[in-house]
Structure formats: C-alpha cells, structure tokens
Amino acid sequence: MFEMLQITPQQLREWISAEKDFLLIDIREDWEHEAFNIGGMHIPMDDIPAHLTDIPTNKDVVMYCEKGIRSTITIQRLEQAGYHNIYNLNGGMKAWKGLK
C-alpha cells in the first residue's frame, strides 16, 4: 500500500513559478472549471477512466478538485491501476484561494 502523495497550495505555486515539468489536471465539473481554475488539463472525475492514456506515468501529475475529496478518491482508483506519480492538491481550490 502506497501513501498518497500530497502537495500544498504553496508548494504547487512554487512548482508553477519554477516551471517544473508536471501535468496539472482539474477533475471538477465543467461549470466549476469555467467559474474558476488554475489551468492545466480539464478531465471531469467521471471521465478519467476514458482518458487514462492522457495521464502520464513517467512524470509528476497534480490533480485538484474543490476541497480535495474527489481528487483523493480519483487518485486512490488510479493507484489501484498502477499510477504512483499523482499528487493530491491538499485542500483543493478552496485552499488555493485562501493563499495570500
């Protein structure tokens, strides 16, 4: 059993500033993504199984949702499918918006 990788909003901001090579995936619904997002690929949670070929296994991936709950569930499912390179944005967009 692997421990899920976590990244804080501050760490993610540092990755973005440093132009680190990683993939950012918003798994929220279309309306949530349109209302506010921080970029990256948009694949709603229910569509993830149809997009496994879009999710690399050879570089870091950060998934985010509104609070971190849906991304936790999605990452647990992906870990069962053999992915061990996916970080959960701790606290999701709610925490991101709380950054000063």
Side-chain angles (χ1 to χ4, degrees):
M1 186 77 175
F2 290 87
E3 187 170 327
M4 185 177 302
L5 300 171
Q6 298 280 345
I7 188 168
T8 66
Q10 183 59 43
Q11 289 169 318
L12 179 57
R13 186 169 276 173
E14 290 167 9
W15 280 19
I16 293 168
S17 294
E19 298 181 6
K20 178 177 167 61
D21 183 25
F22 73 99
L23 177 62
L24 184 62
I25 302 177
D26 180 354
I27 65 160
R28 299 173 304 152
E29 297 299 318
D30 291 340
W31 67 270
E32 292 173 290
H33 180 79
E34 289 165 12
F36 177 83
N37 70 80
I38 57 173
M41 187 179 283
H42 177 229
I43 308 172
M45 179 180 179
D46 292 341
D47 295 344
I48 292 286
H51 289 273
L52 292 181
T53 57
D54 296 327
I55 303 171
T57 56
N58 60 349
K59 74 177 181 179
D60 292 332
V61 175
V62 175
M63 286 195 169
Y64 70 91
C65 61
E66 189 60 31
K67 296 179 189 165
I69 298 167
R70 287 176 282 178
S71 52
T72 295
I73 293 166
T74 301
I75 293 168
Q76 288 171 340
R77 291 176 183 162
L78 289 169
E79 286 176 346
Q80 291 172 352
Y83 288 83
H84 302 294
N85 60 316
I86 305 177
Y87 289 77
N88 181 46
L89 177 58
N90 204 341
M93 286 295 88
K94 187 171 184 166
W96 177 272
K97 290 176 185 175
L99 270 183
K100 299 290 180 228

